[in-house]
Amino acid sequence: MRRAVILGLAGTSVLPDEAALFGAADPWGFILFRRNIEDSAQLRALTDRLREIVGWDAPIFVDQEGGTVQRLRPPLARDWPDASAQTGGIAAVRLRHRLMADELRRHGVDGNCAPVIDVAGPETHPFLQRRIWAGTPVAVSETARAAAEGMLAGGVLPVIKHLPGHGAANADSHVDLPRCHASLADLDARDFVPVRALADLPLGMSAHVVYEALDPDAPGTHSPVVLRHLRDVLGFDGLLLTDDLNMNALGGTIPERAARAIAAGCDIALHCSGDLAEMAGVVGAVGLLDGQAAKRAERALAARHAPEPIDIAAANAEFERLTRTA
C-alpha cells in the first residue's frame, strides 16, 4: 500500500536525500511549483525521475488554474487568463482545459488542482475573487463541469476545490484562518450547490475554513463534522486531498496538521514546501492508504486515461474564435 501523502520537492532536480525519502515513503503522488520548473526538457526529465524513484506511474500535480495561479508559463504553456476573465462561454472553458491538459501531459504532469468551484459573493476575499468562475452557483457548477471534462478528456485528473466552499469565507487561508458566518440554509442554497453538482468527480481538495454553522471550532480540513457533511449529505465520494498543510490557517506542527487531517476524514495529506525535515515528519504521521481511502485512490487513478485524439492547431483556432467572438 502507498503512503497517504502527496509531496513536493525543493528544486529543479531530485536531491539524493529527497530520492531516499521518496523511495522509502512511496507517496501517492507529487506536486510541483514554479521553483521546480526551468524549461521543457528539464520538467519532463524531472517527472520521469520522480516516477522512476517510486517505481510506478504516480500522479504528478500542479496548480494550473490560469492567471493568478499558473505554474507552467510561456513557452511551456499558454498564458491563460484568470477564471473571472475567461470569455467565450462553456464551449471555450471546455476547450481551454482540453488544451491545458495537452500542455501538462507533454511534460509528464497528469493532475491539476483545478477547477475552483467556489461561488463569488460579497464576502469573498480578494485572493480568491479572480480565481472564481461566476457569482451564481448554477453558473459555477456548469462552468467547472466543463473544465473538469476538458481535463479528463486530455488525460489529466482534475481536483475540485475548495470543499465544501471557500467563497463565503472572510480571509486568505494562506495567511489567516478564514471563518464562514453563513447559516446552513444559506450554504445549502449557494456554496454547497456546486459541491453537490460535481460530487461524482474523482478528486477534491478540502478548505481550511471554519464553517460556524457546522463546527465553530475546527477548519474543514480538521473537522470530522464538516467532512462527514461533505460525504454523507453533499455526496462527495472522491479522493479528498487536504489543501496545503503549510498554510497559516492551520495550527500545530506540520506533522500534527497532517495527522489531524487524516483522522478527521481527509484521504491524502498535501505537503507542498519541499522542506525535507517537514516531509519526513508528515510521512511518519499519516500512515498508509487503506480502507475506503485506498478504494477512492484506485477509482481516481482509473479515471486517468490516455488523452483522446485532438487536432491541437484546430482546437487553438476554435478557442481563439470563441473568445474573439465573445
Side-chain angles (χ1 to χ4, degrees):
M1 289 186 289
R2 310 216 141 80
R3 192 76 53 174
V5 68
I6 291 173
L7 298 174
L9 68 157
T12 55
S13 61
V14 184
L15 300 174
D17 286 348
E18 292 173 332
L21 175 65
F22 297 157
D26 195 11
W28 189 76
F30 298 96
I31 188 164
L32 303 180
F33 288 82
R34 285 293 304 159
R35 66 176 185 271
N36 307 124
I37 300 169
E38 190 173 73
D39 57 41
S40 183
Q42 169 271 328
L43 179 55
R44 184 72 224 202
L46 177 60
T47 54
D48 288 346
R49 174 63 177 143
L50 289 169
R51 292 185 171 111
E52 177 187 45
I53 289 168
V54 295
W56 69 287
D57 191 20
I60 298 177
F61 296 85
V62 294
D63 292 289
Q64 190 78 349
E65 298 173 21
T68 309
V69 180
Q70 180 170 336
R71 311 309 182 200
L72 276 69
R73 297 280 180 179
L76 280 69
R78 180 196 289 256
D79 199 2
W80 299 100
D82 280 304
S84 61
Q86 181 62 63
T87 60
I90 296 293
V93 170
R94 182 177 287 105
L95 200 49
R96 160 188 168 129
H97 287 82
R98 178 61 185 88
L99 291 167
M100 189 180 285
D102 181 71
E103 294 169 342
L104 297 177
R105 282 287 299 225
R106 77 172 68 140
H107 292 105
V109 176
D110 57 8
N112 188 6
C113 298
V116 171
I117 67 166
D118 304 320
V119 182
E123 308 90 351
T124 306
H125 192 277
F127 98 97
L128 191 58
Q129 192 82 38
R130 289 179 294 179
R131 301 162 56 193
I132 293 179
W133 293 103
T136 66
V138 171
V140 169
S141 302
E142 293 174 349
T143 308
R145 170 72 66 182
E149 289 174 349
M151 283 187 281
L152 286 167
V156 169
L157 293 173
V159 182
I160 56 173
K161 62 186 186 186
H162 307 82
L163 304 180
H166 207 308
N170 60 1
D172 179 353
S173 50
H174 296 85
V175 180
D176 297 302
L177 176 59
R179 302 189 72 88
C180 175
H181 307 299
S183 69
L184 190 56
D186 287 344
L187 289 168
D188 273 333
R190 187 177 178 84
D191 297 79
F192 292 169
V193 171
V195 183
R196 284 193 177 94
L198 302 170
D200 60 301
L201 290 175
L203 299 101
M205 179 181 288
S206 69
H208 300 336
V209 173
V210 172
Y211 301 90
E212 295 178 346
L214 291 169
D215 184 342
D217 300 316
T221 299
H222 283 166
S223 172
V225 175
V226 171
L227 297 186
R228 278 198 302 270
H229 195 85
L230 174 66
R231 297 294 196 192
D232 299 341
V233 179
L234 303 183
F236 179 74
D237 195 34
L239 189 71
L240 185 63
L241 285 53
T242 71
D243 206 342
D244 183 11
L245 294 173
N246 293 101
M247 292 163 68
N248 289 333
L250 301 182
T253 68
I254 300 298
E256 287 169 350
R257 296 175 187 186
R260 190 174 176 189
I262 298 298
C266 291
D267 298 317
I268 300 278
L270 176 64
H271 184 272
C272 298
S273 74
D275 182 281
L276 190 68
E278 287 184 358
M279 288 193 288
V282 170
V283 165
V286 298
L288 300 174
L289 263 175
D290 60 8
Q292 287 301 312
K295 292 178 181 178
R296 294 184 191 112
E298 289 175 9
R299 290 200 301 269
L301 290 177
R304 179 184 62 174
H305 54 74
E308 297 172 6
I310 186 173
D311 182 328
I312 293 297
N316 272 303
E318 176 64 7
F319 180 78
E320 293 296 337
R321 185 192 70 78
L322 288 168
T323 54
R324 206 168 43 241
T325 300

